[in-house]
Amino acid sequence: MTSAHQLKHSRAVPRRKALISGAGVAGPALAFWLNRLGFEVTVVEKAPALRSGGYPVDLRGTALEVVRRMGILPRLRDAHIDLRRLTFLAADGGEVASVHPHSVTGGVAGHDLEVRRGDLSDALHAAVRDDVEFLSNDAIATLDEHDHGIDVAFRGGGTRRFDVVFGADGLHSHTRRMLWGPEEQFHRYLGYCFAVFTMPNTFGLSHETVMWNTPGRAAALYAVGDHDDVHAFLNFAHPHPPFGAFPDPRAQRALVESAFADAGWEVPGMLAAMRDGNDLFFDAVSQIRTPRWSDGRVALVGDAAWAPSFLTGQGTSLALVGAYMLAASLADRDHSSGFAAYELDTRGFVTANQALVGKGGATLFPTTAQALEERNARLRELTSIPPTKARPAHSALVLPDFMPVV
């Protein structure tokens, strides 16, 4: 039994203060677990509000156990999209093959989840919003570490002291750049760029994706329901990562339009929708490879540390698992030994999932006429029965148990 003296002493111990940069997936997930461990958590996000809607994301393998332990699995199962068909088209719009999506992605029907990114974001935010401080439309300006903590100056003004800081701010992480310099040294470009945006579903599509291919180019329409807008997707081979276009939407649109200027099928209408829309998301298909994930009192998680690229289908799942593992490493350790344990226990899982990228690029986006024909031949031979077992990398990590302090 806890004595009154012990209880008084435990209450006198100050709570560790944590700042998380990024309110996408890894950030709120980490905030959830740190709060359960008794941390006083603040999340800062440069966007003025949470992103609603958004393209679909996959949850597989070990990540499903993370969201089950968070208590949000039933909500996410209700939001499951249930994509039923993936149809590949030739340059002239004729059908090459129509398969179950899991036959290509390696997912498991009836078990894995696919949800709108916004639905996942809403579920994560709802799980922590009453317990965690959120600062929107702001960002970290400087970090000043010392023996007693780390002083953080914010772009919106003011300075606060934290015990630890976490960068969950994506592929183009500002936190990582403050620690170690330009992104280029960690950016492993995989040869493609892509654009995603929404447009009206005038195609009669329902719970399916239709993808048109020519060598080095792909255009897809993704319908998550019967009456919703479709997610339009344009992917193209490009010789080098367009770092100058990442912060410039006008340059992004120009690059996409140039790549698809002479394309057929529904591409002209897709380009028009991209020009007129306001929800364009553009990026390179890339991975982040860093020699370490922490420095002093600062640690990275999710795409900021190890972006696997969408070709693996594991970006969201790795973010959720990484957040759990990072928090678990701090349950009974200080930041120094905790960060070391986090990397030791998690890097193998990340590396195995990053290695999945080889199959994804070859299947979806061949860059030569011969490779495209070989891919089409493989697709015609695919069984329509989806797999019943996940790829080993998806479940290659068993989550540790830790006892939250609440």
Side-chain angles (χ1 to χ4, degrees):
M1 181 178 294
T2 302
S3 69
H5 174 75
Q6 289 173 320
L7 184 61
K8 181 178 180 180
H9 178 73
S10 67
R11 287 176 176 172
V13 175
R15 298 172 68 193
R16 289 185 284 180
K17 295 183 178 182
L19 174 67
I20 301 170
S21 176
V25 173
L30 178 59
F32 177 92
W33 294 113
L34 290 179
N35 175 68
R36 294 302 187 274
L37 285 171
F39 279 77
E40 183 179 328
V41 183
T42 299
V43 179
V44 61
E45 167 57 45
K46 65 180 180 180
L50 289 177
R51 280 168 50 190
S52 60
Y55 54 87
V57 296
D58 298 303
L59 299 180
R60 301 180 182 132
T62 306
L64 292 171
E65 176 61 14
V66 173
V67 295
R68 187 194 69 79
R69 294 187 185 191
M70 294 181 76
I72 62 174
L73 181 57
R75 175 171 176 167
L76 296 178
R77 289 213 178 278
D78 288 342
H80 178 57
I81 290 170
D82 189 25
L83 188 67
R84 299 162 191 166
R85 183 167 57 248
L86 172 55
T87 302
F88 290 88
L89 304 179
D92 62 1
E95 182 174 316
V96 172
S98 186
V99 301
H100 193 285
H102 291 314
S103 298
V104 175
T105 65
V108 180
H111 182 67
D112 295 349
L113 293 178
E114 187 169 18
V115 299
R116 294 175 179 86
R117 183 181 174 88
D119 288 339
L120 175 59
S121 179
D122 289 345
L124 292 170
H125 187 255
V128 297
R129 64 189 174 199
D130 295 333
D131 303 309
V132 169
E133 178 188 21
F134 281 85
L135 304 176
S136 60
N137 204 27
D138 206 348
I140 297 172
T142 62
L143 299 171
D144 181 19
E145 183 171 340
H146 48 79
D147 291 343
H148 304 292
I150 184 165
D151 293 332
V152 179
F154 293 91
R155 289 181 181 175
T159 301
R160 292 165 61 176
R161 180 170 296 178
F162 297 89
D163 295 290
V164 283
V165 172
F166 302 98
D169 44 352
L171 176 70
H172 307 297
S173 170
H174 175 61
T175 309
R176 186 183 62 237
R177 187 165 57 251
M178 286 191 293
L179 290 180
W180 301 317
E183 177 183 316
E184 287 84 343
Q185 60 189 313
F186 310 113
H187 189 116
R188 183 193 175 205
Y189 182 54
L190 299 177
Y192 306 94
C193 295
F194 70 97
V196 182
F197 49 95
T198 56
M199 61 186 295
N201 186 1
T202 60
F203 313 98
L205 300 175
S206 175
H207 295 279
E208 62 184 307
T209 295
V210 179
M211 180 178 291
W212 170 93
N213 287 92
T214 60
R217 296 188 298 187
L221 296 169
Y222 189 143
V224 299
D226 297 322
H227 307 294
D228 298 329
D229 288 347
V230 296
H231 298 281
F233 173 84
L234 294 169
N235 186 87
F236 58 99
H238 194 65
H240 52 79
F243 288 108
F246 293 147
D248 185 353
R250 185 174 299 179
Q252 295 168 7
R253 286 180 169 87
L255 195 60
V256 176
E257 292 201 38
S258 175
F260 287 90
D262 62 345
W265 187 54
E266 302 289 350
V267 175
M270 296 170 73
L271 293 175
M274 181 187 70
R275 284 192 296 268
D276 297 338
N278 59 6
D279 65 345
L280 172 65
F281 179 79
F282 172 92
D283 215 329
V285 183
S286 306
Q287 295 186 337
I288 293 295
R289 302 285 185 98
T290 61
R292 62 188 191 277
W293 296 340
S294 66
D295 193 334
R297 293 178 178 268
V298 183
L300 304 176
V301 65
D303 282 355
W306 58 64
S309 93
F310 76 79
L311 294 179
T312 68
Q314 281 292 89
T316 301
S317 293
L318 288 184
L320 291 166
V321 173
Y324 182 95
M325 295 297 291
L326 178 50
S329 75
L330 296 169
D332 55 1
R333 302 181 181 94
D334 62 18
H335 69 273
S336 181
S337 57
F339 291 167
Y342 156 60
E343 181 159 350
L344 178 66
D345 295 339
T346 314
R347 187 174 279 274
F349 179 66
V350 166
T351 301
N353 281 276
Q354 283 184 322
L356 295 173
V357 73
K359 295 180 180 179
T363 300
L364 294 176
F365 313 118
T367 56
T368 67
Q370 179 179 346
L372 180 57
E373 181 51 44
E374 291 172 353
R375 186 217 58 181
N376 289 345
R378 292 194 300 271
L379 288 172
R380 293 185 187 102
E381 296 172 357
L382 269 181
T383 176
S384 61
I385 301 174
T388 57
K389 291 184 179 180
R391 289 175 175 165
H394 295 171
S395 303
L397 184 150
V398 177
L399 298 177
D401 293 320
F402 63 95
M403 184 63 68
V405 178
V406 292

